[in-house]
Amino acid sequence: MQEPGRGAALAQSASPFAPVIMVNDLGITAFEIEQRVKFLELLRQTGDLQAEAEKALIEDRLRESAAKRAGITLSAEALSSGMSEFAGRANLTTEQFVQELSQVGIEEQTFRDFVSAGLLWRDAIRAKYANRIRITAADIDHAMLLESERGQTARVLISEIIIPTPPGQEAEAMAAARRASAASGDAAFSALAREFSATESAPRGGHLDWMEVSNMPPALRPVIMGLKPGQASAPMQIPNAVAVFMLRSIDEGGKAPATAQTLEYTRFIVGPATAAQTASDAGSIAARVDRCDDFYGIAKDLPAERLIRETLPQGAIPQDIAIALASMDIGETRALQRGANTELVTLCKREKTLAEGETAPTRDEIGQRLTNQRLNAYSDSDIADLLANAVIVRP
């Protein structure tokens, strides 16, 4: 609850050290507000700095009170370390940072109070919620994916028709592909997908889910981005097949990044594509697989060449496999007809291709980042509750 009259209260305050805001009986002085405004200016924060300073100090009072009720205290060593860490963000020692503050009229105590309130609240939130947070291996896997950039890149809805080209049937396959390429609109394309396509999407009219443009094979991106919704591509020769794609919709949430990807995937050769038993086996095996490692148990008594696991840059992956992987999630398995055989392809990992000298974050670092994100969510929720229940008075 908050009462009006902020400006008048500040103007009428007899002393800069008299409370101008009361937060659950704890005072905030005009001097503290003035100091926080200067501090925010030093940090180059924009907006209504008077309002931001008051809001921050109100929240600090609430954080400090909550920490005190929880029995949280801050040692001199922890405070010193926190001040040093904050100063280090500007490549300064604590002493150098304090000197910089003094030159613009900010007292060391203002800096000390700012850091102290943040550290107390951090420790209070950790004490309250740390045991509730469980970061799983799957959480870390997903956080390490390029898909974590979703919403920042262009994405598309496309439909596919993949027509196998066994020896002696290339001409028939190309004729069907040309019909698909000439199709206008989703209904006509979908009918041809159900008739000719050899992919798992065929019963759905070739429809694929939303796909990040950056996940596509490099050779396919300009083809898709050059289409208009409802328009089909020219036939594309890919290993063992000919492909045609139709763009159904595009969501240009942002420019597709040029960041290269490295994909890890498995290929399991099920059997001859024309054998009825192969289709049954493929379905049965796919139902038993949740991740790439599951194939090792399935293939343990089979010839080694039946199971292939590869990690390749996106542009080095065979085109037919790369097209399938583009719309797949981690652990997803898809059946492909490759030459005379049916293969099960499973996506194991999708990661950024690191530049020379660049290092990827460790799993522990990713896990700590996820933990901090969840703690921050709890923190935001708790401070909102404290504000809602606080008695805030401006004398």
Side-chain angles (χ1 to χ4, degrees), residues 141 263-269 289-297 299 304-312 321 330-331 343-350:
D141 286 341
L263 278 65
E264 181 180 348
Y265 60 94
T266 58
R267 296 166 45 209
F268 180 76
I269 301 173
V289 171
D290 293 318
R291 55 181 185 151
C292 290
D293 289 351
D294 293 341
F295 278 104
Y296 293 118
E305 60 269 19
R306 293 278 297 277
L307 178 62
I308 301 135
R309 188 162 183 164
E310 298 178 303
T311 301
L312 293 172
I321 295 177
I330 301 303
E343 297 186 11
L344 291 176
V345 177
T346 301
L347 179 59
C348 312
K349 291 182 181 178
R350 185 193 302 279

Side-chain angles (χ1 to χ4, degrees), residues 52-366:
E52 290 298 321
E54 292 181 17
K55 178 176 181 291
L57 287 166
I58 289 169
E59 292 180 355
D60 281 355
R61 291 293 189 271
L62 294 173
R63 292 186 181 105
E64 290 164 344
S65 294
K68 183 177 181 179
R69 289 194 299 272
I72 304 297
T73 58
L74 193 64
S75 68
E77 292 79 6
L79 178 56
S80 176
S81 176
M83 293 172 68
S84 176
E85 189 275 333
F86 191 93
R89 299 176 193 175
N91 296 317
L92 298 173
T93 65
T94 300
E95 292 74 17
Q96 290 170 331
F97 190 71
V98 169
Q99 181 63 31
E100 291 287 330
L101 294 176
S102 68
Q103 291 178 8
V104 292
I106 302 173
E107 296 192 356
E108 180 179 352
Q109 189 62 44
T110 297
F111 176 40
R112 186 179 299 274
D113 291 345
F114 171 82
V115 173
S116 175
L119 293 177
L120 284 168
W121 182 245
R122 181 201 65 184
D123 291 349
I125 290 296
R126 285 180 176 172
K128 185 176 180 181
Y129 293 111
N131 290 337
R132 303 188 193 182
I133 296 174
R134 296 290 182 270
I135 304 298
T136 67
D139 293 332
I140 295 174
D141 286 341
H142 282 284
M144 296 180 78
L145 303 181
L146 278 178
E147 280 87 346
S148 65
E149 297 180 6
R150 287 184 185 275
Q152 301 175 14
T153 66
R155 59 179 190 159
V156 291
L157 274 177
I158 64 174
S159 297
E160 64 178 358
I161 294 178
I162 311 292
I163 306 170
T165 54
Q169 297 182 31
E170 294 89 349
E172 292 88 341
M174 183 56 70
R178 290 195 181 100
R179 285 181 60 190
S181 182
S184 179
D186 180 50
F189 192 88
S190 293
L192 293 172
R194 294 186 181 94
E195 182 178 356
F196 295 117
S197 189
T199 65
E200 294 179 349
S201 65
R204 305 190 301 273
H207 285 194
L208 299 176
D209 292 333
W210 283 105
M211 182 189 308
E212 304 293 328
V213 173
S214 58
N215 287 356
M216 292 181 177
L220 183 58
R221 295 175 197 169
V223 173
I224 297 301
M225 298 307 287
L227 299 175
K228 297 178 181 178
Q231 182 182 9
S233 71
M236 296 177 59
Q237 291 281 2
I238 62 176
N240 312 299
V242 60
V244 182
F245 300 93
M246 173 171 280
L247 177 64
R248 301 193 334 261
S249 183
I250 182 169
D251 175 15
E252 298 189 59
K255 184 178 179 181
T259 305
Q261 297 185 25
T262 297
L263 278 65
E264 181 180 348
Y265 60 94
T266 58
R267 296 166 45 209
F268 180 76
I269 301 173
V270 183
T274 55
Q277 186 62 37
T278 297
S280 175
D281 289 345
S284 174
I285 294 169
R288 295 160 56 191
V289 171
D290 293 318
R291 55 181 185 151
C292 290
D293 289 351
D294 293 341
F295 278 104
Y296 293 118
I298 294 169
K300 64 180 179 179
D301 296 323
L302 300 175
E305 60 269 19
R306 293 278 297 277
L307 178 62
I308 301 135
R309 188 162 183 164
E310 298 178 303
T311 301
L312 293 172
Q314 195 175 34
I317 299 171
Q319 191 84 332
D320 57 335
I321 295 177
I323 289 170
L325 292 173
S327 60
M328 291 169 64
D329 292 326
I330 301 303
E332 184 177 350
T333 298
R334 186 168 298 175
L336 298 181
Q337 184 174 332
R338 307 196 74 232
N341 293 319
T342 293
E343 297 186 11
L344 291 176
V345 177
T346 301
L347 179 59
C348 312
K349 291 182 181 178
R350 185 193 302 279
E351 297 179 340
K352 174 184 176 182
T353 301
L354 298 176
E356 185 176 353
E358 185 179 6
T359 58
T362 66
R363 294 182 67 84
D364 285 345
E365 289 170 340
I366 292 291

